[in-house]
Amino acid sequence: MKENLRMVVVLTCITLLSGLILTATYEVTAPLIEAQQEAALAQAVENVLGQVTDLEQEIIDEKEYFLARKNDYRVAALVTSARGYGGPVDVMVGVNVSTEEIMEIKVVDHTETPGLGTVIEEERFVQHFRGLDFKDSYRDEVDIITGSTVSCVAVIRAVEEAVALIRLNILEEEVEIPEDLTPDEMREAFIAEFVGDEYEEFERDDLIVYQGPDVIALEGSKEGYIGPVKTILAVDIESTELIGIEVLDQEETPGLGDPITEEDFLQDFIGQSFQDDFRLVTEDPEPGEIEILSNATVSAEAVVDLVNHAFEVLRNMEAGGEF
Amino acid sequence: MDGNIYLYGTLTMTLLGAAFAIILVIVSRVFAVEVDPRVEKIEEVLPGANCGACGEAGCSSFASGVVEGRVPMDGCPVGGSKLIDMLAEIMGQTSAASTEERQVAHVLCNGTRENAVDLSNYEGIQTCIAAQNVGGGSKACPDGCLGLGDCVRVCQFNAAYMGDDGIPRFDPARCTGCGRCVEACPREIVHMTGVSRRTHIRCSARLPAKEVRKVCSVGCIGCRQCVKACPEEAIEMDGRLARMVYERCTHQNQCVPACPMNTIQYIPEEEWVNR
Amino acid sequence: MSLLNDFKNGLWNEHPIFRLLLGMCPLLAVTTTAEYGLAMGLATLFVIICAEIVISLVRNLIPKKVRIPSFIIIIATFVTIVDYTMPAFFPEIADALSIFIPLIVTNCLILARVEAFASRVSLKRAIADALGMGIGFTWGLVLLAGVRELLGDGSVFGVQILGEGFPTWGIMGLPPGAYITLGIILAVINQIIRMRHKKTREVS
């Protein structure tokens, strides 16, 4: 019993002392750590904006903006993030709000492959952004470096987002934020746009059907290169034509598989009647044919398969006199 | 919160510590296993190399074996007589084997590059066991040392090394008598002898005299001169080969000059390592 | 055994990395540049010295049954101190070492030395052992990290050594680079030890 009591007493004493020492250390170091973090942030802001005056922080929509003046110009900086090869790539973007130009960008945090993806930190990559005007897309402005495509595209996307945010929130322009909506939000928007408020929801052959008075929307998923590709499409009942299609969710390789979410790819589906299936072709697509995206074959196939499957379901429903 | 951080931090830690200590007390009571304290004591005095020379899985199973009486106290060849004394003390017995001499390894072959005749040029895998299985290595003598050092490689105690003359040596100061080299030798010419033994018949060849002369200049020809010369009858014939019966040898060394082939050698202690 | 022997043990004979192969996790993870290797080594050095001192002092107070939890709490306390102190003074290094600082708690080197050594010997010997092991660990990390930085980046401690034209080895910055470098260093050290054995024999 004495031995047991000793065990409890010794362990308790050790934890008591440990707790005291640690809280004391914390008390001493916490303000120092905070100061260091602030200094690091100020340094990062200085890196993209240079010497500025009247630096202030503003939080709009939970995002921190650093607003300042430089000579006679209004300048701003913010951190945006996009998915790279090894995880999120955080980029601090400094812009001149008055001249609507990018001043400087700096990758503040990333986990890209050393020696390959890390090129995004280097001058030979970031120099491309300097002095670019505000635009929706910078894909054609910036040279992507071989071996680091995914990392480079991540930076470009982060910069695009930052520019769009500045235009929206600081310049108060009407721009679309290339921010990713959640699949649920996208579905909601899609149904509201095409089907309307009144619809019936049920399942049919692995698909979810949203049947409205004029338009039917069908949602389902097919295996892509990495994971399921979830797609929703809308068909006009009277004309039997496909009027809208959207990829809701996908895990394809960023920069390779993800063109399937883009307008260029999806617009080829519009206007096709559900009586005829799509075919994949390598070049010069005619109506009823979809051009294979190089590097994204499997991802594109997943979308086409789903559309063809939905068409089959629609034909069966039509034959069954359901609409 | 800020002012209370000492209280919260310390209290959390302390309560956790106390709670776990109580859990440990309960667990140690519920799951208590009686362990013979002697096992632990024995483990502490064992060499701890886990060499397996005793035949057990390692030092700790040797320790429990000794306590259970399953393994003899002198079962650890590495620890020697000192260890046996310590074990006996822990087990509360007087040592039975403490007078036994420490055993060290010797190669009973003097077929150096100079002495032994080469029959062929062996260029296969450079291990004794491979050479033995393929065709007997390069030496003509079928019982001679192959000189490729299997015994050297298995030694965990850095006691064995290959001499420049192609015959391995065992440093008696480092040799623990674990016997791994004895097992490793495909020709069974490594033997264990007491550490004080100085006179050895350094041949294991069982060939007729005529053949022996052909393959080696220092091989035993079975002439029995040594048997006759020994006043203690410490040399016996094992077929055609003279064998030392070490227990009877008193180092009078009358056999050494009697041997016409120079097979029997008396090696003073100081020469052991340098040879 | 003298104090000097206890100290020298960790530097070479029982070198924690190259002879005992302990503490592989931080070794492989943070040795991308010599600076990080040095920082990790010093952090571990601090923890092992403090832990061995404290544990050697209280070794007779701790009941045998709860020695492991006690040791771990003591080690964890010092690691947490490092974890708080490092970002306060060296934020960049703390950032780079990130999770591997808290992980010093589970560095088997420290628990092994504390359990096998500090909890059994006097304060003086424990300090000698902690210094030897800690410094041994540090030079091991710096050596490995230095080789990796030199080949992977052309520099050591951030100082450019190889010319601009040197084609840097990307693999050296990656985990396989750590394994390959460690393997080669181990081979070289084993060879040195083997040759030394031979020499001592020839001399005697």
Side-chain angles (χ1 to χ4, degrees), chain B residues 233-248:
Chain B
E233 297 185 345
I235 299 177
E236 288 177 355
M237 291 308 290
D238 179 8
R240 291 192 181 99
L241 181 65
R243 286 279 196 202
M244 179 70 75
V245 182
Y246 288 101
E247 299 89 75
R248 294 206 281 269

Side-chain angles (χ1 to χ4, degrees), chain B residues 13 24 28 40 158-161 174 273-274, chain C residues 64-66 69 73 77 197 200-201 203-204:
Chain B
M13 285 288 291
L24 280 177
S28 72
E40 214 163 291
N158 285 319
Y161 57 101
R174 292 179 189 231
V273 181
N274 287 341
Chain C
K64 217 168 178 201
K65 276 182 186 163
V66 291
I73 292 169
T77 304
H197 272 308
T200 49
R201 282 218 187 91
V203 170
S204 65

Side-chain angles (χ1 to χ4, degrees), chain C residues 11-204:
Chain C
L11 295 186
W12 181 261
N13 287 345
E14 283 184 29
H15 189 275
I17 294 174
F18 300 126
R19 305 300 293 155
L20 305 179
L21 291 174
L22 290 174
M24 289 292 113
C25 164
L27 171 75
L28 297 170
V30 303
T31 53
T32 45
T33 71
E35 190 188 2
Y36 296 161
L38 181 67
M40 188 70 197
L42 293 180
T44 313
L45 177 68
F46 170 78
V47 173
I48 198 171
I49 290 175
C50 295
E52 285 211 34
I53 289 175
V54 170
I55 286 165
S56 178
L57 284 175
V58 300
R59 66 184 189 277
N60 294 325
L61 298 176
I62 297 176
K64 217 168 178 201
K65 276 182 186 163
V66 291
R67 67 186 196 285
I68 301 278
S70 310
F71 296 166
I72 287 287
I73 292 169
I74 292 168
I75 295 170
T77 304
F78 290 113
V79 170
T80 315
I81 290 175
V82 174
D83 197 30
Y84 285 157
T85 318
M86 212 176 234
F89 296 102
F90 311 103
E92 266 177 37
I93 293 176
D95 220 31
L97 300 183
S98 61
I99 181 68
F100 295 101
I101 291 293
L103 278 181
I104 298 176
V105 178
T106 54
N107 188 329
C108 42
L109 166 67
I110 296 173
L111 188 62
R113 295 321 294 178
V114 158
E115 158 82 359
F117 208 83
S119 65
R120 297 177 186 192
V121 301
S122 66
L123 180 62
K124 269 192 253 164
R125 291 192 62 193
I127 294 175
D129 178 71
L131 278 173
M133 283 291 161
I135 294 173
F137 191 69
T138 308
W139 83 249
L141 283 178
V142 172
L143 173 66
L144 190 77
V147 172
R148 287 180 66 189
E149 192 185 348
L150 183 67
L151 297 177
D153 209 33
S155 58
V156 172
F157 283 110
V159 180
Q160 197 72 25
I161 294 207
L162 300 171
E164 278 294 312
F166 177 73
T168 52
W169 302 10
I171 194 174
M172 280 301 164
L174 302 176
Y179 280 101
I180 293 167
T181 317
L182 175 65
I184 292 172
I185 293 178
L186 282 181
V188 169
I189 286 183
N190 279 339
Q191 192 56 37
I192 292 172
I193 284 166
R194 204 171 287 175
M195 274 155 51
R196 278 201 177 174
H197 272 308
K198 251 191 195 159
K199 244 188 202 161
T200 49
R201 282 218 187 91
E202 276 161 18
V203 170
S204 65

